[in-house]
Amino acid sequence: MDDIDRAIINTLQGGFPICDRPFDAVAETLGLTGTQLRTRIGKLKADGIISRFGPMWHAERMGGELTLSAMKVPPERFDEVAGIVNAFPEVAHNYAREHALNMWFVVATEKPGRKAEVLAEIETMTGITVHDMPKIQEFYVGLRFEA
Amino acid sequence: MSEAKLDPIDRAIVVATQDGLPLVDKPYHDVARQVGVSPDEVMSRMERMLAEGIIRRMGVVPNHYALGYKFNGMTVWDVADEDIAEAGRRVGELDFVSHCYHRPRHLPDWPYSLFAMIHAKEKAGADALVERVAEVLGDLSRGHMVLFSSRILKKTGLRL
């Protein structure tokens, strides 16, 4: 990753235009052509430096449901349980964390009611209690990182 | 909270872009072809969904690990219910906090009600950020913990 890649990440975290030729529209401010910008974004994605490029959809505003859930997984069953949890397409993220509650995952569903079903199915399939921690109030979301 | 539901065209736009925008000269035209509407229709619908917050943001989502942020801490704070609004306001104003939420307790195992994510490249930096949160909360916090992530098990984002 060079300085231009860093500038792409820092600039395009703040937004991307909606217009006929959006890459051309932002490339110039980065000292690139639209084609060069697309190539670099493609490489950053392929290299895993950016995990997404495009719209970040907000499940709740779409009428769906979103929750954070935590489980206390016995270490010897960790990979098996991770496999069960991750196999649900509704599980958007899953992180191992250093705590007795050692598996934390986000469930995002399109239809109301499906969230409860997913959590119940995970409990049934694993035999482990799922702690449901839905958002009561959001004080801030502004996920940005300086590259 | 808006209860905006998606109509079938909006939904088709979500499906066409949930893996990302196509890396082509005219990406919205590409999406329009997949959805079967005009490019102007796609762009005006996406502008509307951005304004309504159905799209949180457009653009690049970096992998923070790949950028060197190896210490990603979920800091959790035991704050009395009557203090949560003030505590959330104070923590939400800190520029290094990427998310801040009020979530339910699960007593007796889990007394924590305020969640704030912090990110640092070194352990000492992460510890300093946690200390800053503790300072702004002061007596509003009755106890806290930091849960660092040790592994990403899955990170795909929303799927319809």
Side-chain angles (χ1 to χ4, degrees):
Chain A
M1 193 167 57
D2 61 15
D3 286 347
I4 294 171
D5 288 334
R6 280 181 231 286
I8 290 169
I9 291 169
N10 291 333
T11 304
L12 297 191
Q13 277 181 83
F16 186 73
I18 299 175
C19 60
D20 279 336
R21 295 172 176 274
F23 293 100
D24 290 347
V26 287
E28 199 178 338
T29 63
L30 293 158
L32 299 170
T33 65
T35 306
Q36 288 170 328
L37 175 58
R38 291 203 306 275
T39 304
R40 281 181 178 261
I41 291 171
K43 179 151 196 321
L44 289 168
K45 227 176 140 178
D47 292 347
I49 294 169
I50 61 178
S51 50
R52 274 188 62 76
F53 171 72
M56 285 181 65
W57 296 100
H58 191 330
E60 292 152 307
R61 296 275 168 95
M62 288 162 45
E65 289 178 302
L66 190 76
T67 196
L68 176 67
S69 301
M71 294 170 89
K72 197 183 289 187
V73 182
E76 67 277 11
R77 291 190 58 200
F78 199 84
D79 290 344
E80 172 222 337
V81 172
I84 292 170
V85 170
N86 291 353
F88 282 84
E90 294 89 349
V91 172
H93 307 112
N94 188 3
Y95 286 87
R97 295 194 180 277
E98 295 159 359
H99 186 267
L101 290 170
N102 53 0
M103 189 179 292
W104 291 76
F105 54 94
V106 169
V107 174
T109 65
E110 182 180 7
K111 291 193 171 57
R114 177 64 187 148
K115 179 198 88 168
E117 287 174 9
V118 169
L119 300 188
E121 286 168 28
I122 290 172
E123 283 195 338
T124 303
M125 292 170 75
T126 62
I128 299 170
T129 301
V130 176
H131 292 291
D132 184 14
M133 301 192 195
K135 170 177 83 183
I136 298 170
Q137 195 181 347
E138 179 178 300
F139 295 108
Y140 184 76
V141 173
L143 189 63
R144 289 190 69 162
F145 295 91
E146 194 71 24
Chain B
M1 173 73 59
S2 138
E3 288 300 319
K5 295 273 165 54
L6 303 182
D7 71 16
I9 296 172
D10 289 339
R11 191 179 185 283
I13 293 171
V14 177
V15 170
T17 61
Q18 61 190 355
D19 283 324
L21 267 188
L23 291 171
V24 297
D25 191 27
K26 298 182 183 178
Y28 304 107
H29 293 238
D30 206 86
V31 171
R33 271 191 297 278
Q34 292 181 58
V35 173
V37 296
S38 71
D40 284 345
E41 175 84 21
V42 165
M43 288 189 276
S44 68
R45 281 173 179 264
M46 288 185 77
E47 290 280 12
R48 191 202 80 234
M49 290 192 275
L50 191 59
E52 290 176 350
I54 294 172
I55 297 173
R56 265 195 194 276
R57 197 150 54 75
M58 288 281 298
V60 161
V61 180
N63 172 350
H64 40 283
Y65 287 90
L67 295 185
Y69 294 86
K70 299 198 188 321
F71 294 88
N72 299 285
M74 185 173 76
T75 77
V76 293
W77 308 80
D78 176 8
V79 175
D81 291 352
E82 61 270 27
D83 293 330
I84 200 88
E86 172 61 16
R89 189 191 63 75
R90 291 187 197 177
V91 175
E93 280 181 358
L94 295 170
D95 61 4
F96 57 82
V97 168
S98 66
H99 303 74
C100 183
Y101 294 116
H102 176 200
R103 297 186 184 277
R105 298 183 170 80
H106 285 259
L107 295 172
D109 292 346
W110 189 259
Y112 306 106
S113 52
L114 187 71
F115 288 57
M117 290 296 310
I118 57 115
H119 311 270
K121 295 184 176 178
E122 284 152 23
K123 179 68 164 60
D127 292 344
L129 296 181
V130 176
E131 190 51 41
R132 287 274 309 284
V133 179
E135 278 169 22
V136 304
L137 284 176
D139 292 343
L140 297 186
S141 170
R142 302 180 296 202
H144 74 273
M145 285 202 69
V146 185
L147 281 69
F148 286 105
S149 58
S150 48
R151 204 151 45 109
I152 298 178
L153 304 169
K154 184 176 184 182
K155 187 172 182 176
T156 52
L158 179 92
R159 284 291 180 278
L160 295 189

